[in-house]
Amino acid sequence: MKPFLLLFVGFFFYPLLLFSQEATKTIPKRIYTTSTFEGEAPKIDGILDDVSWNSVTWGTDFIENRPDENTPPTEQTKFKIMYDAKFLYVAIRAIDANPDQIVKRLSRRDGFDGDWVEINIDSYHDLRTGFSFTVTAAGVKGDEFISNNGNNWDGSWNPIWYTKTNVDSEGWTAEMKIPLSQLRFGKSEEQIWGLQVQRRFFRKEERSTWQRIPLDAPGWVSEFGELHGLKNIKPQKQVEIQPYVVTQLDTYPEEAGNPFRDGNDFSLNGGIDGKIGVTNDLTLDFTINPDFGQVEADPAAIALDGFQIFFREQRPFFVENKNIFDYEFANGQDNVFYSRRIGRNPQGYPNTSAGEFVDQPQNSTILGAAKFSGKTKNGWSIGVLESVTGKEFAEIDNNGTRRNELVEPLTNYFVGRLQKDFNERNTFIGGIFTATNRRLQDNLNFLHRAAYTGGLDFKHNWKDRTFYLEGNVVASHVAGSKEAIKLTQESLTHLFQRSDAGHVDVDPNKTSLTGTGGRFEFGKAGGGTWRYDAGIIWRSPELELNDVGFLRQADEVRQYANVGYQTTKSVGKFRRISARFSQFTTYDFEGNYNRIQYEFNGNMQFLNNWFIDVGAAHKPRIFINTFLRGGPRWRFSEENFGYAFFGTDERKKLRTSWGMVYSQAKQNNFQFLEVSGDVTYQPTNALRISIGPQYNSNPNKTQYVTQVDASGNTRYILGTIDNQTLSASIRLNYTINPNLSIQYYGQPFVSIGRYKDFKYVTNSIADNLNDRFYQYQPNEITFDSTSDLYQIDEGADGNVNYSFGNPDFSFVQFRSNLVLRWEYIPGSELFLVWSQGTTGFGNARDHLLQSLDNQILGQQPENIFLMKFTYRFVL
């Protein structure tokens, strides 16, 4: 443990030596004072000729934020804000000496292309969260919920508000009408809110702001100016009900003899989404029988390491306000709450005999779900989520005789999240609790009956938020049958059966498992050109989160440290330059020193807005506990990797970016080469076409295949794999107007793996690659094409000792969505969707393009035609 301790002490305390070297300059807070108005409210038409606007003065004197911070912008901007009992009204004039050059590109909601202006409002005045309302010169709306002091902008927040724009001889103008019911604020005779107004001057890729925010500031929301003059406004208790009706037709290739695959299925369904303002601070969201048919398909992926693949949440109910429930306790994607568990694929499969056909449900039905969330004026953030998924049955047909078997039980999911700000919003302490409870029957006893997780987290900022200390701890408890807990102990996340592990072993009599995890980190977030952080993460072997969270691997202690540099002014031919050096080491709970890695990353953006990203890493020590799936620790040879990407100006109608990642291990243990790119063409303001091809090659001399019993000895079988993958993401967006658009997404995907030179592990941690395995001689291994098995005769004595299946694979898939979306009135939508998919398993000996042709172009696809109609009632 000595290398770990020395590195951790050094990297953790070195920043303290620099504590006083850089001081953050306090920027005076600007104040805009609003007022009510007399007479009629302004007409929201983008033309600022209403008499009521004379009730307030202009806020102006914007300052450039990018690329040359704290200098006068090319063109000035000014704004007015006024209010009445129900609405906040905003007028913005974006002065432009050449109005014919204003860029007015169309897109769907939250498409921030071309010239735009936005207003950010911190109505909680907590210096961490805010509401952002953006409008482009073309009239496209954008709205986002800001959290984590500007480090997270959630575009899934879709409030009802109104806006129009207009171009005239002085530039362009925008009017906004924002219902107070869409904001969150407490009761007070006079409100003080955080305020920022920002403009993008597209031709020069220039940002200017009303309140100056230095590029070395520790955050975004904490640096806002202030909005004063809001007197006697009353919190608005909104009530929104949104029923939906959906019709769906599925077509697919008919399967002879299978009564469940007769060529087509039709369904009619409906449900309700709702939002109730319990107070103006806290909102109750609920859904009954939600439909997610218009959601884009997940990208195709293959994991040769056996671990589960993380997919981002795309379902609207779970995406909205997700920041309140977020609890990333470690690194990567580990999270106490992973909403994709709710409505997951059924985990059971029926027992069948030859000749039987199965209709297996694809997802668990969400009977209902509700969220109670928000933030009070005195700093309490509250989130409660409750969801119930129903029993799912597979239907089995045996020559016309039908029966049902349970494949997913009735399950209740609960998540509770609480945080409290204090110390003038510079400190918060919070907690989370999750519970999963299943009503199990005998055939599903391999699942946990109950799973509970609790956590505490905190963050403290000081010296004007320049420095911070944060941390969290997590404890988990799962309970179930002996079978369920044994399966958990033996799962890839835990591997208690690992043959060389002295600190864990499988207990077949256990009916519960309790573990812990956590993270502590210190860092510098602002002030000057340098940033740094250092910390420690741990996950005990018994930690288990995967009932309603996401945990890739337990049994790890990780130390890490990062040092970063960024310019705050243009330098020579560069707009921005940034660089980062990172280091980490890992251990397991037995004290095995498993890994150390050093990495450098750099980014340079030129004055012409082209960019270059480069990076390199050195991994002198790589031991993996999970590679042999319960076998001993495995050593990979020393590795070096590097990458380089470049991109053209993203504002241009024709733009592109390309890059390459290359990795090479010592003794040619493995290689990795990936080439990817993106080409986007926008021939008109309404049409955008893009394609993002990607190719990777990943040959490996020691790819895990399987494990077999050889006369009482376990053989861990490896092979030399030639793995190649080719895919392309294709997107087409046509926007008729800001409320009516057509979008297409498609992804062909093919991955081929061919194995040869099979071997078994002899000394898994040997320094020399060739000492780690014994490779079968030609007279010891034969392939039986009839059974598709490799037969092993160790010693070539004429006796077959064991066999294993042919691991070659060729996976081909095509997924696409064509969606017409029409927001015919604010908050109410019509979707027309056509989804198409093909999945095939080709010949691994074919080349990539041949497999793509045979399995996609040569196959009849499955189609889904869907129409969804929603109407939002605001009461």
Side-chain angles (χ1 to χ4, degrees):
M1 294 288 283
K2 186 178 288 186
F4 161 73
L5 292 174
L6 290 175
L7 283 166
F8 181 75
V9 171
F11 277 96
F12 194 86
F13 287 102
Y14 175 69
L16 296 176
L17 301 177
L18 305 176
F19 183 89
S20 62
Q21 290 188 17
E22 297 176 303
T24 302
K25 296 179 181 179
T26 301
I27 307 299
K29 296 280 190 181
R30 301 188 68 183
I31 296 174
Y32 181 87
T33 303
T34 183
S35 72
T36 57
F37 56 89
E38 295 182 359
E40 293 184 1
K43 181 181 179 182
I44 305 303
D45 56 8
I47 301 173
L48 310 183
D49 58 356
D50 302 273
V51 175
S52 55
W53 285 121
N54 296 330
S55 303
V56 289
T57 60
W58 288 106
T60 186
D61 297 328
F62 277 53
I63 194 77
E64 188 172 319
N65 180 261
R66 297 180 194 170
D68 196 9
E69 200 273 320
N70 199 28
T71 61
T74 302
E75 298 281 11
Q76 263 299 334
T77 309
K78 53 186 182 179
F79 68 92
K80 290 183 175 184
I81 300 175
M82 57 188 186
Y83 68 97
D84 60 20
K86 295 288 186 180
F87 299 97
L88 195 73
Y89 300 90
V90 182
I92 302 177
R93 171 161 287 285
I95 298 170
D96 196 323
N98 299 288
D100 58 323
Q101 296 181 27
I102 294 170
V103 178
K104 299 186 293 181
R105 290 183 181 167
L106 287 166
S107 69
R108 272 189 61 172
R109 189 170 184 156
D110 296 330
F112 305 104
D113 207 354
D115 286 274
W116 53 252
V117 293
E118 74 175 15
I119 179 171
N120 298 162
I121 300 171
D122 175 13
S123 55
Y124 290 126
H125 208 208
D126 63 0
L127 310 183
R128 287 201 297 133
T129 60
F131 303 93
S132 177
F133 301 87
T134 305
V135 62
T136 73
V140 177
K141 279 182 181 179
D143 29 54
E144 298 166 289
F145 180 76
I146 312 168
S147 60
N148 197 18
N149 200 8
N151 289 322
N152 183 56
W153 296 65
D154 185 357
S156 65
W157 180 61
N158 288 323
I160 294 177
W161 61 291
Y162 310 90
T163 184
K164 290 289 184 180
T165 60
N166 181 64
V167 177
D168 57 26
S169 60
E170 297 181 52
W172 66 284
T173 55
E175 281 184 303
M176 301 179 184
K177 179 182 175 182
I178 303 171
L180 295 177
S181 63
Q182 304 300 299
L183 302 174
R184 300 289 175 267
F185 53 91
K187 292 183 179 179
S188 182
E189 183 177 343
E190 181 172 359
Q191 304 278 339
I192 295 178
W193 294 353
L195 175 68
Q196 179 65 287
V197 182
Q198 182 178 195
R199 176 186 179 183
R200 182 191 192 186
F201 186 61
F202 187 77
R203 296 197 297 280
K204 293 192 174 183
E205 189 57 301
E206 180 183 288
R207 308 288 177 90
S208 57
T209 57
W210 171 68
Q211 169 70 54
R212 181 193 168 199
I213 298 184
L215 294 182
D216 65 347
W220 180 255
V221 181
S222 61
E223 313 306 304
F224 285 1
E226 293 181 349
L227 176 64
H228 290 203
L230 294 164
K231 299 179 180 179
N232 299 315
I233 59 173
K234 296 180 180 180
Q236 308 292 308
K237 296 181 181 180
Q238 69 187 94
V239 177
E240 298 177 10
I241 305 295
Q242 189 173 37
Y244 81 85
V245 176
V246 61
T247 63
Q248 181 172 323
L249 173 66
D250 298 358
T251 68
Y252 44 83
E254 184 177 353
E255 184 178 330
N258 187 345
F260 303 119
R261 302 287 291 179
D262 60 1
N264 66 81
D265 296 307
F266 177 80
S267 62
L268 174 66
N269 204 355
I272 294 177
D273 295 321
K275 186 187 298 287
I276 300 173
V278 179
T279 70
N280 194 67
D281 301 316
L282 302 170
T283 302
L284 175 66
D285 295 86
F286 65 89
T287 183
I288 300 172
N289 193 29
D291 171 75
F292 306 114
Q294 77 280 8
V295 171
E296 186 175 287
D298 292 319
I302 286 181
L304 292 178
D305 59 8
F307 284 101
Q308 58 184 321
I309 298 173
F310 181 93
F311 290 113
R312 66 184 178 91
E313 181 60 87
Q314 301 184 89
R315 300 172 296 177
F317 175 82
F318 294 105
V319 170
E320 189 172 358
N321 286 341
K322 65 182 179 182
N323 64 288
I324 290 181
F325 297 92
D326 184 63
Y327 196 100
E328 288 187 16
F329 79 96
N331 63 310
Q333 293 141 347
D334 291 348
N335 206 308
V336 172
F337 178 49
Y338 178 47
S339 57
R340 292 289 294 255
R341 302 293 185 206
I342 302 175
R344 68 192 303 167
N345 296 335
Q347 299 168 82
Y349 195 82
N351 295 315
T352 59
S353 56
E356 292 188 325
F357 295 98
V358 177
D359 184 16
Q360 174 81 358
Q362 297 300 307
N363 299 100
S364 304
T365 301
I366 300 175
L367 301 178
K371 289 189 300 185
F372 179 69
S373 60
K375 187 166 187 175
T376 66
K377 186 174 179 60
N378 57 2
W380 285 100
S381 294
I382 302 170
V384 178
L385 186 147
E386 172 75 17
S387 179
V388 177
T389 59
K391 290 182 178 182
E392 293 295 336
F393 293 89
E395 189 174 7
I396 303 99
D397 181 273
N398 188 340
N399 292 321
T401 301
R402 301 281 181 97
R403 70 179 190 278
N404 292 323
E405 286 194 23
L406 187 68
V407 292
E408 183 72 17
L410 181 71
T411 307
N412 184 86
Y413 299 93
F414 173 86
V415 183
R417 184 79 163 103
L418 190 67
Q419 283 187 336
K420 177 65 169 71
D421 298 342
F422 56 96
N423 185 27
E424 297 181 343
R425 311 291 186 174
N426 287 307
T427 305
F428 76 76
I429 295 177
I432 191 170
F433 175 76
T434 73
T436 304
N437 290 279
R438 298 184 176 94
R439 186 174 295 176
L440 296 177
Q441 296 180 7
D442 289 343
N443 66 316
L444 295 178
N445 270 339
F446 63 89
L447 299 175
H448 296 147
R449 181 185 70 257
Y452 305 105
T453 303
L456 297 173
D457 61 341
F458 74 91
K459 185 171 185 177
H460 173 61
N461 301 279
W462 70 93
K463 204 175 174 83
D464 293 325
R465 296 179 178 251
T466 299
F467 297 91
Y468 68 90
L469 177 67
E470 66 179 358
N472 58 62
V473 293
V474 171
S476 69
H477 178 78
V478 295
S481 66
K482 293 179 181 180
E483 176 192 4
I485 301 304
K486 183 174 183 290
L487 285 172
T488 301
Q489 295 176 79
E490 295 177 339
S491 69
L492 191 58
T493 299
H494 303 277
L495 295 176
F496 281 21
Q497 74 275 28
R498 219 180 74 218
S499 59
D500 63 342
H503 64 302
V504 290
D505 58 77
V506 176
D507 184 344
N509 295 313
K510 271 186 174 289
T511 56
S512 66
L513 207 61
T514 302
T516 64
R519 175 175 63 91
F520 291 99
E521 177 179 302
F522 164 85
K524 178 176 181 286
T529 56
W530 290 93
R531 305 282 190 276
Y532 40 76
D533 61 75
I536 185 171
I537 296 168
W538 80 94
R539 309 176 191 85
S540 77
E542 302 84 2
L543 183 67
E544 173 56 37
L545 305 178
N546 288 315
D547 288 273
V548 73
F550 189 94
L551 177 66
R552 177 181 168 89
Q553 184 181 352
D555 194 9
E556 183 181 80
V557 178
R558 176 182 294 243
Q559 164 274 328
Y560 62 92
N562 306 285
V563 178
Y565 172 85
Q566 64 176 23
T567 59
T568 57
K569 290 282 186 180
S570 299
V571 179
K573 296 182 178 180
F574 300 98
R575 279 180 176 247
R576 286 195 304 273
I577 300 174
S578 63
R580 181 182 178 92
F581 175 77
S582 306
Q583 170 275 336
F584 74 83
T585 58
T586 67
Y587 294 78
D588 61 30
F589 271 64
E590 193 173 17
N592 294 308
Y593 174 28
N594 284 336
R595 188 162 183 156
I596 186 167
Q597 177 172 321
Y598 307 95
E599 184 170 353
F600 169 81
N601 311 100
N603 171 267
M604 295 165 285
Q605 185 175 22
F606 296 90
L607 293 176
N608 64 359
N609 289 300
W610 286 45
F611 70 87
I612 294 176
D613 286 325
V614 295
H618 176 55
K619 305 177 185 179
R621 187 178 184 89
I622 311 172
F623 286 81
I624 300 178
N625 288 354
T626 59
F627 179 72
L628 295 178
R629 320 281 172 95
R633 292 166 67 224
W634 173 261
R635 179 176 195 157
F636 275 113
S637 300
E638 178 181 304
E639 177 193 1
N640 295 296
F641 83 80
Y643 68 85
F645 287 82
F646 82 93
T648 62
D649 187 345
E650 295 183 354
R651 299 172 303 152
K652 300 298 183 182
K653 290 191 173 183
L654 178 62
R655 49 198 182 270
T656 187
S657 62
W658 290 89
M660 181 179 72
V661 180
Y662 180 73
S663 172
Q664 175 72 56
K666 190 176 179 181
Q667 293 186 276
N668 203 27
N669 188 170
F670 60 86
Q671 291 179 335
F672 180 79
L673 171 66
E674 181 174 278
V675 179
S676 61
D678 177 84
V679 179
T680 298
Y681 179 52
Q682 187 150 6
T684 70
N685 284 335
L687 178 63
R688 178 187 299 176
I689 306 165
S690 67
I691 181 170
Q694 183 179 78
Y695 167 79
N696 70 58
S697 173
N698 189 15
N700 188 336
K701 288 184 177 179
T702 56
Q703 175 62 48
Y704 176 83
V705 176
T706 188
Q707 50 189 274
V708 298
D709 179 72
S711 302
N713 297 316
T714 301
R715 293 284 191 243
Y716 298 97
I717 311 297
L718 313 177
T720 297
I721 187 176
D722 175 18
N723 178 212
Q724 300 179 67
T725 302
L726 178 66
S727 66
S729 296
I730 304 164
R731 296 182 184 273
L732 185 150
N733 299 309
Y734 181 65
T735 307
I736 301 166
N737 61 54
N739 299 315
L740 179 59
S741 62
I742 299 172
Q743 289 188 307
Y744 174 80
Y745 166 79
Q747 188 201 40
F749 176 93
V750 55
S751 184
I752 291 177
R754 306 182 186 99
Y755 289 79
K756 64 177 183 178
D757 298 336
F758 294 97
K759 58 212 70 171
Y760 65 83
V761 175
T762 54
N763 183 356
S764 63
I765 59 173
D767 181 63
N768 186 292
L769 172 64
N770 296 316
D771 292 338
R772 295 174 208 157
F773 56 78
Y774 170 80
Q775 183 170 319
Y776 298 115
Q777 299 303 304
N779 59 350
E780 293 180 302
I781 182 170
T782 58
F783 179 66
D784 183 355
S785 59
T786 303
S787 61
D788 204 31
L789 294 174
Y790 284 95
Q791 297 181 335
I792 305 300
D793 175 11
E794 289 189 13
D797 59 3
N799 296 315
V800 175
N801 301 101
Y802 49 87
S803 61
F804 57 87
N806 180 7
D808 289 355
F809 63 87
S810 175
F811 178 78
V812 186
Q813 188 174 77
F814 177 73
R815 291 180 175 179
S816 69
N817 279 62
L818 179 64
V819 180
L820 182 145
R821 173 189 173 272
W822 178 30
E823 188 175 5
Y824 54 93
I825 59 174
S828 300
E829 298 172 311
L830 173 68
F831 290 95
L832 299 177
V833 182
W834 173 28
S835 295
Q836 188 176 82
T838 301
T839 299
F841 299 91
N843 187 339
R845 299 300 159 182
D846 291 342
H847 59 72
L848 286 170
L849 293 179
Q850 186 176 354
S851 292
L852 203 64
D853 177 48
N854 293 341
Q855 296 300 317
I856 292 182
L857 301 180
Q859 297 292 325
Q860 180 183 344
E862 298 187 2
N863 296 281
I864 299 174
F865 300 95
L866 178 148
M867 181 175 69
K868 181 177 180 180
F869 175 83
T870 72
Y871 187 87
R872 184 183 293 188
F873 296 90
V874 180
L875 307 176

